[in-house]
């Protein structure tokens, strides 16, 4: 798989009897569909570029299903419809690399998050300020849609379809429980609807729960995170309900390994009369969105830190066992913290 910013190689097209052109390429041992007319590359976000608010999508609330996971009237594309969308030029970027855990290293990989003035749009940039992911908050629908390309990018020629996010971060009415799902499961994304998990929970990528705790004279925000564990070969478990994976929110993985991350708590400082937390390599300003996460079995090692470094700019640094989308989802889950 090509790293971010590099170009994928060409693949041989294959014609179906219907005339649809499907390009099959070998990707991490699986076959995926590609657009036959373009290569994939990572655009760069210009610093200081104006950001406009995206219109919010609407969908009816279902209190019995706060995460909108179980929808018997699911109208998602099946494999044939998806192939047809490729021919129409509506193909989505390959987002598998964003679900892979970071390489083993002792250092945190540095990233930057840019927030729009209205707080409804976010862009994730690499350490070289190259664009990675775009997210927009749909308040009425209680979700955050995440895309693999930037809607304001006019150079690529790729049409922006707000109805087709790569990932969805859903939250409940109290905004305490957040669930990150991948729109196309790596195991059954191209299967017929009745044989896929798209209408029965989707592939879960992370679960985040927020709470508060009194520390000294202040109250600290607490974050608890569950993410899928790893296979024997080091690849992450694909948390697909069709393959027996239970709700990732549960403490028991039902035979599947669950990795748990918890907040590294700040300490009350009498001299400055506030909670203090040291951010390695970063100079951050006070914000309720600031957090550090560590493994539940080893609180001494920070695996993710998110801190405010400008009026609408945040640092997001992380390492294994997290992937890019998991870290970005955790940062987005702090959107409404105050």
């Amino acid at each position: 798989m090509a790293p971010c910013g590099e170009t994928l190689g060409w693949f041989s097209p294959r014609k179906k009897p219907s005339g649809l052109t499907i390009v099959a390429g070998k990707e991490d041992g699986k076959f995926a569909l590609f657009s036959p007319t373009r290569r994939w590359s990572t655009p760069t976000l210009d610093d200081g570029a104006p950001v406009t608010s995206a219109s919010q999508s609407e969908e009816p609330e279902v209190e019995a299903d706060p995460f909108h996971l179980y929808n018997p009237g699911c109208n998602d594309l099946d494999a044939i419809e998806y192939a047809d969308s490729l021919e129409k030029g509506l193909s989505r970027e390959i987002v598998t690399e964003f679900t892979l855990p970071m390489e083993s290293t002792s250092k945190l990989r540095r990233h930057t998050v840019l927030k729009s003035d209205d707080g409804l749009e976010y862009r994730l940039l690499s350490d070289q300020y190259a664009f990675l992911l775009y997210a927009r908050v749909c308040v009425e629908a209680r979700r955050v849609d995440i895309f693999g390309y930037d809607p304001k990018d006019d150079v690529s020629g790729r049409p922006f379809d707000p109805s087709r996010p790569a990932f969805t971060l859903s939250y409940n009415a109290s905004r305490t429980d957040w669930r990150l799902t991948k729109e196309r499961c790596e195991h059954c994304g191209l299967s017929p609807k009745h044989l896929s998990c798209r209408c029965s929970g989707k592939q879960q990528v992370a679960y985040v729960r927020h709470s508060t705790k009194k520390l000294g004279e202040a109250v600290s925000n607490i974050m608890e995170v569950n993410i899928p564990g790893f296979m024997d070969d080091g690849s992450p478990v694909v948390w697909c309900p069709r393959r027996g994976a239970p709700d990732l929110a549960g403490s028991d993985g039902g035979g599947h390994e669950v990795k748990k991350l918890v907040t590294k708590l700040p300490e009350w400082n009498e001299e400055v009369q506030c909670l203090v937390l040291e951010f390695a390599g970063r100079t951050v300003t006070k914000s309720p969105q600031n957090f550090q996460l560590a493994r539940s079995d080893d609180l001494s090692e920070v695996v993710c830190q998110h801190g405010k470094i400008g009026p609408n700019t945040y640092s997001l640094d992380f390492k294994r066992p997290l992937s890019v989308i998991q870290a970005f989802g955790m940062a987005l889950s702090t959107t409404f913290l105050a």
Side-chain angles (χ1 to χ4, degrees):
M1 177 105 194
C4 199
E6 296 188 6
T7 305
L8 293 176
W10 293 106
F11 299 87
S12 300
R14 197 171 48 185
K15 283 282 185 179
K16 292 185 64 178
S18 63
L20 294 179
T21 301
I22 299 180
V23 181
K26 188 78 169 172
E27 178 202 357
D28 297 331
K30 305 180 181 66
F31 283 96
L33 296 176
F34 297 80
S35 167
T37 59
R38 63 174 69 98
R39 299 188 181 193
W40 182 71
S41 61
T42 301
T44 302
L45 182 66
D46 295 330
D47 291 336
V51 178
T52 59
S53 173
S55 59
Q56 299 176 8
S57 59
E58 297 183 1
E59 67 179 36
E61 292 185 357
V62 183
E63 289 299 327
D65 178 23
F67 293 102
H68 310 286
L69 294 177
Y70 304 100
N71 180 10
C74 177
N75 59 358
D76 291 329
L77 295 175
D78 60 20
I80 300 300
E81 291 171 322
Y82 182 53
D84 183 57
S85 72
L86 285 174
E87 190 170 70
K88 294 177 181 178
L90 299 175
S91 58
R92 284 158 285 188
E93 280 66 27
I94 303 169
V95 294
T96 302
E97 69 171 307
F98 295 123
T99 65
L100 300 178
M102 306 299 290
E103 296 180 359
S104 297
T105 176
S106 60
K107 296 182 179 180
L108 298 172
R109 291 287 298 273
R110 295 163 68 96
H111 295 74
T112 302
V113 178
L114 301 180
K115 180 179 70 173
S116 62
D117 291 336
D118 61 7
L120 296 179
E121 294 182 271
Y122 295 81
R123 289 170 172 84
L124 177 66
L125 311 181
S126 71
D127 57 345
Q128 300 297 321
Y129 296 98
F131 171 82
L132 295 179
L133 292 168
Y134 164 78
R136 67 173 200 164
V137 182
C138 306
V139 178
E140 295 183 7
R142 295 206 303 267
R143 71 170 191 266
V144 182
D145 293 334
I146 305 173
F147 303 83
Y149 56 100
D150 195 333
K152 80 176 190 63
D153 176 28
D154 298 325
V155 179
S156 66
R158 290 168 292 190
F160 175 70
D161 187 348
S163 68
R164 297 182 177 182
F167 303 92
T168 299
L169 181 65
S170 305
Y171 55 91
N172 61 357
S174 61
R175 299 171 176 173
T176 57
D177 292 30
W178 299 67
R179 182 177 280 101
L180 180 64
T181 57
K182 188 171 184 285
E183 288 300 300
R184 287 204 169 271
C185 176
E186 295 170 35
H187 280 310
C188 56
L190 296 179
S191 300
K193 294 177 184 178
H194 67 286
L195 296 178
S196 75
C197 66
R198 302 204 65 196
C199 300
S200 59
K202 300 181 182 179
Q203 177 187 341
Q204 297 185 37
V205 182
Y207 169 79
V208 181
R209 179 171 178 78
H210 289 277
S211 59
T212 57
K213 182 177 182 179
K214 185 174 178 59
L215 297 175
E217 300 300 320
V219 175
S220 175
N221 291 317
I222 303 296
M223 184 185 300
E224 299 172 272
V225 179
N226 288 352
I227 60 174
F230 298 117
M231 306 287 285
D232 293 337
D233 61 0
S235 62
V237 174
V238 177
W239 209 264
C240 173
R242 293 284 298 186
R243 298 174 67 91
D247 188 355
L248 196 53
S251 58
D252 181 9
H256 298 73
E257 182 185 5
V258 177
K259 289 192 175 295
K260 298 178 179 295
L261 306 178
V262 295
T263 298
K264 183 176 180 180
L265 296 176
E267 298 179 355
W268 178 259
N269 188 298
E270 289 290 346
E271 183 177 349
V272 296
Q273 289 293 295
C274 68
L275 295 173
V276 176
L277 192 62
E278 172 112 14
F279 282 76
R282 295 286 194 177
T283 301
V284 303
T285 60
K286 184 179 179 181
S287 170
Q289 282 81 37
N290 294 349
F291 68 81
Q292 287 185 340
L293 292 174
R295 295 184 180 88
S296 59
D297 57 352
D298 184 8
L299 299 179
S300 63
E301 182 181 11
V302 174
V303 298
C304 181
Q305 63 179 23
H306 178 256
K308 187 174 183 179
I309 57 178
N312 289 322
T313 307
Y314 295 82
S315 64
L316 179 60
D317 310 326
F318 53 92
K319 63 180 180 180
R320 197 178 181 90
L322 292 175
S323 64
V324 171
I325 186 57
Q326 287 170 338
F328 191 36
M330 294 170 197
L332 293 171
S333 73
T334 66
T335 297
F336 301 109
L337 292 182

